[in-house]
Amino acid sequence: MGRKRRGLRVGFTVFTLLLFQNICFSQITIYGNVKDNSGSLYSASVILKDSLSKSIIAYTYSDNNGNFELKSNRLGKLNLVITSLGYEAKTIPLIIVTEQKELKIDVVLKDKPMDLDEVIIKADLPMSVKGDTVSFKTKLYIKGNEQTVEELLKTIPGININSDGTIKIGNQEIEKLMVDGDDLFERGYKILSKNMPAYPVEEVELLKNYSNNRLLKGVEESDKVALNLKLDEKSKRIWFGNIETSIGNNSFYQLKGNLMNFGKKNKFYFLTNLNSIGYNATGDIENLIRPFRINEPASIGDNQSVNSLLNLSPNNLNFKQSRTNFNNAELVSLNAIFNPTEKLKIKTIGFFNWDETDFFRNSTDIIDANGTNFTNTEDYQLQSNKRIAFGKLDFTYNISKTKMLEATSKYNNGDFNDNSNLLFNGNSTIENLQHQNTLFDQKISYTNKFKDKKVFLLTGRFIDEKIPQNYTINQFFYQDLFPSNSNANNVSQQSTNQMQFAGINAHLLDRKDNGHLLELQLGNEFRKDKLQSRFSLLENNTVLEQPIGYQNETNYQVNELYVKSKYRLKIKDFGIVGKIDVHQLFNRLVNNNTTSTQNPFFINPSLGFDWKINDKNKITSSYSYNTTNAKVLDVFSDFVLTGFRSFSQGTGNFNQLDASSVVFNYQLGNWNDRFFANTFIIYSKNHDFFSTNTTIEQNFTQASKILIEDREFLSINSKLDYYFKFISSNLKLDLGYTKSEFKNIVNNSNLRLVTSNNYNYGLELRSGFKGIFNYHIGTKWTTTEIETTINNSFTDNVSFLDLSFVFNKKFDIQLQSERYYFGNLQTDNTYYFLDFDARYKLIENKLTLGLTGKNLFNTERFRNFSISDIGTSTTEYRLLPRFVLLKLEYRF
């Protein structure tokens, strides 16, 4: 039948509604109040049914004041059925027409005489399942000491939270963390989970087969998961929050606050965190600024960013970052959601972060490669100052039930100033790196669900990002490289890396009646990179020379036209997925005024399958062959300074890299079963890859990128969860093996084969007692081996024991202990740490007094050992000293 037009007259409207009452045109809100002769009725069932088929269209329950509200897109004759235990059911016939937006109905129920033959007790179930939604009632899981949402989620079975705050269901990271169905932070959800208080959360919903786009639900093949926090009624439509202040010895402090209002139309969440205790309140901020999703419809441009040439920040440690993070951080985030009309939703984020950090490291590097032997020592102190301002504006306009327009605007401005005081082999050296990051990102997406199982998406995106850097060193270590400049006593490098990206993508998803899914994409992406670097040798403030071969003026343009096709064939519980991506590229490279062009064409095929053997056994596997284009940091021609004693050089030419990979995954059980196991295997072979030809001297290294054939990578990981009822505890086993092979050249050697093997194995046991006491104990071993002309290996161990005591509703204590063992160290190879946290509620749900202690053994330093294909390194880090904080939290 054809679509209806808005200008139909009333008589024809009534006839049409009766004939087509199952077709949705607009949304109507039905609300009202349920009471009896004495007052309002709580938890009365309100069900909207089709008058002919009697099928349920929507349902809800009345709240504490007897009020109810539900929404429906259905037109025509309907029945509203209100029931409550001890009262006569009442059925109200309705006729819904197109023009109606709201309908108010107040109901008075009559007492119903009952013969009480039996007593039925309805227990509160801790977990319930309805379709793709699994609901957990938090009051049946919490132990009473949970302060933040992150701590609350740790009590829910099946939800795993890594040490960095990443939330996973089983082994899969969540897409987002919502509050009453609305999302603010996308993949930057750690800002919410690490800061929002836990007490207003009444229920946690796990959403399986989740779709980020509501019109793709039931059409796309999704295995994504998301979490939704449902608040209790007393925390809705009112302003509430908390403020916590902490002060301790040696000027350690923390101040944090949350102010919230979660209404039906508008939601507000304001938070702040100021601290000097090493706490990272933001998580990985890149996940907020540049959320990245793989194979997501309308995700064009997610993989586009600019990388810095230089970075003085320390690498990630196999250690709690908070123990080495001498910080003074200030965070303010202002977030809101507005619904000015039923069709329009506006989301705003304002994020501001200031931080001053200090980092201390001593290291001894022993180099032994191709006949070159020497030892370098470094005494390194780094002071970093950063300021980040980020703003985001989201518009979602529901044109109709089947059409939607989305627009996202983002702006980020980061200003960084890093200063290091370095004693290198006894020479005092000062580094200064001033750099900025400016990002503007605009994305628009249109979705049209033109048939029940057919969706068309059109997406456009523009990104402009720029990273200028100014780097200076007050020493000259490169006499052997530049012998004619013996008077030089310092160096500098100014560089700019800028990128502009523009792309458009058309995407069709067609779900067949038999369950097969066809996807077609047509798109064009254009990226322009501009890389400039100026390296100067100076005597005091006078420039002596800008050496030839150490200056870069690179312009790199890539225009990519592509067609992507994907078909999923579904045969009962078995699925076969085939993909073919066709790419035509138009490359243009200008290196120091030398221009070259290239027009490569390639096809990337993929074939995979998934098999649900039964409810407990699932297998997925795939094979893919991929060709990728070189990036700007691969193709520049001259050397750039990438550290105080390291230079790097690109290939100066176009390159496409070919790789093939095989993935296999076997899952036994489900994440919420008593027993759950998962094994993941990936094997990849780079038929060609970028390696390095490196010259290593005691005062400097020079690494040039070279194209090498054949590199292999193998990773196997198995995780096992088992719940022991007799001890009310959950056991987790984690086993992993990784092997990689690559080739390089060091100091004019022949091509060397380097093999790296990594083994990790660990276990955890966490209790779920209902009484005063709970524990969490675990250990993890890591063994690393590197084979070249010589073999090196070492083994590290990390163990922990956490104890929790909840004596009553007012008083609880937590103890966290850790043991670190670093292999191949003859002395000072074992370290112990003890932290505690105690809280006493002076006024229930109002005022709490706390005491927190960190590093109670006052361990001041720790050392670890690492190996590489050119030698070994022993590094010592300075730790935050022992401190104790007195805390006071007030809820309002």
Side-chain angles (χ1 to χ4, degrees), residues 143-317:
K143 299 176 176 64
N145 58 345
E146 298 81 10
Q147 295 296 297
T148 63
V149 166
E150 180 177 276
E151 294 174 352
L152 169 66
L153 294 177
K154 288 180 179 180
T155 67
I156 306 296
I159 299 180
N160 301 314
I161 301 181
N162 294 350
S163 58
D164 64 354
T166 300
I167 303 174
K168 294 185 176 182
I169 307 300
N171 300 314
Q172 183 178 1
E173 184 178 0
I174 65 171
E175 289 292 304
K176 58 183 63 171
L177 179 62
M178 298 177 285
V179 179
D180 278 346
D182 281 314
D183 169 54
L184 278 166
F185 300 104
E186 295 186 84
R187 282 296 179 94
Y189 58 78
K190 296 174 189 176
I191 297 174
L192 180 72
S193 60
K194 286 178 173 292
N195 292 281
M196 183 176 172
Y199 63 85
V201 181
E202 183 178 58
E203 202 168 336
V204 175
E205 288 184 333
L206 167 62
L207 310 177
K208 300 185 295 182
N209 302 320
Y210 182 76
S211 292
N212 288 297
N213 186 326
R214 66 174 180 83
L215 295 177
L216 293 178
K217 181 67 176 177
V219 178
E220 69 169 329
E221 191 69 27
S222 172
D223 62 352
K224 297 186 284 285
V225 291
L227 291 179
N228 179 43
L229 308 176
K230 296 183 69 174
L231 306 184
D232 55 35
E233 283 298 322
K234 64 183 179 181
S235 300
K236 295 180 180 180
R237 298 176 292 279
I238 63 168
W239 286 98
F240 73 100
N242 71 324
I243 185 168
E244 180 182 303
T245 179
S246 307
I247 189 168
N249 61 300
N250 296 328
S251 301
F252 284 104
Y253 76 95
Q254 182 175 37
L255 175 65
K256 58 183 180 180
N258 296 270
L259 178 63
M260 297 159 279
N261 188 318
F262 298 102
K264 291 182 179 180
K265 285 193 172 183
N266 303 321
K267 292 181 172 66
F268 302 92
Y269 178 40
F270 307 147
L271 68 97
T272 185
N273 189 300
L274 298 81
N275 79 88
S276 63
I277 61 174
Y279 181 68
N280 179 6
T282 66
D284 187 352
I285 196 172
E286 285 296 303
N287 287 325
L288 173 66
I289 300 172
R290 302 174 183 84
F292 178 69
R293 294 185 173 98
I294 300 176
N295 298 324
E296 174 78 9
S299 64
I300 182 173
D302 279 6
N303 59 343
Q304 304 296 324
S305 62
V306 175
N307 294 320
S308 303
L309 294 177
L310 273 157
N311 184 14
L312 301 187
S313 299
N315 296 326
N316 292 329
L317 309 176

Side-chain angles (χ1 to χ4, degrees), residues 769-798:
F769 304 145
K770 295 295 183 182
I772 295 175
F773 168 72
N774 274 283
Y775 67 88
H776 185 199
I777 187 173
T779 186
K780 184 175 182 179
W781 296 85
T782 303
T783 299
T784 302
E785 301 174 349
I786 292 185
E787 303 174 8
T788 53
T789 53
I790 59 175
N791 295 342
N792 279 323
S793 66
F794 70 95
T795 299
D796 291 344
N797 173 252
V798 180

Side-chain angles (χ1 to χ4, degrees), residues 218-222 453 508-512 514-519 566-570 576-578:
V219 178
E220 69 169 329
E221 191 69 27
S222 172
K453 295 292 185 179
L508 173 68
L509 296 94
D510 182 2
R511 173 73 71 174
K512 309 296 184 181
N514 53 13
H516 304 337
L517 177 62
L518 171 66
E519 293 188 51
K566 178 180 178 181
Y567 195 85
R568 173 181 168 82
L569 183 68
K570 185 177 181 181
I576 302 175
V577 181

Side-chain angles (χ1 to χ4, degrees), residues 11 77 81 88 158 166 206 208 247 277 315 350 405 444 446 466 530 606 624 629 646 830 845 888:
K77 289 187 175 181
V81 182
E88 293 181 359
T166 300
L206 167 62
K208 300 185 295 182
I247 189 168
I277 61 174
N315 296 326
L405 184 66
I444 299 177
Y446 169 75
K466 185 177 183 180
K530 185 176 182 181
S606 173
S624 62
N629 201 37
S646 60
T830 306
N845 297 325
L888 190 67

Side-chain angles (χ1 to χ4, degrees), residues 603-726:
I603 298 175
N604 290 338
S606 173
L607 182 64
F609 75 90
D610 54 88
W611 183 19
K612 184 179 179 181
I613 303 172
N614 51 46
D615 289 339
K616 301 292 184 181
N617 292 271
K618 301 173 186 175
I619 296 176
T620 60
S621 184
S622 66
Y623 167 81
S624 62
Y625 186 94
N626 286 292
T627 300
T628 56
N629 201 37
K631 310 299 182 183
V632 66
L633 294 185
D634 302 320
V635 300
F636 67 91
S637 58
D638 288 356
F639 283 101
V640 296
L641 196 61
T642 57
F644 83 95
R645 55 181 296 270
S646 60
F647 295 88
S648 295
Q649 181 185 40
T651 62
N653 297 306
F654 297 112
N655 289 285
Q656 284 77 46
L657 307 179
D658 297 327
S660 54
S661 62
V662 177
V663 176
F664 177 83
N665 179 247
Y666 172 66
Q667 179 178 313
L668 176 59
N670 297 291
W671 61 268
N672 57 342
D673 289 343
R674 183 178 176 184
F675 176 77
F676 173 71
N678 189 82
T679 297
F680 184 83
I681 302 173
I682 180 171
Y683 169 79
S684 65
K685 182 171 184 178
N686 297 95
H687 305 290
D688 40 33
F689 68 98
F690 288 125
S691 185
T692 55
N693 182 356
T694 306
T695 299
I696 301 177
E697 301 290 343
Q698 185 158 17
N699 287 341
F700 67 89
T701 64
Q702 282 190 316
S704 300
K705 283 192 176 181
I706 55 176
L707 196 64
I708 301 295
E709 294 183 350
D710 296 334
R711 177 176 65 180
E712 293 183 301
F713 174 83
L714 173 66
S715 178
I716 304 173
N717 183 258
S718 292
K719 296 181 184 294
L720 181 147
D721 286 17
Y722 187 81
Y723 181 73
F724 293 94
K725 282 187 176 181
F726 71 96

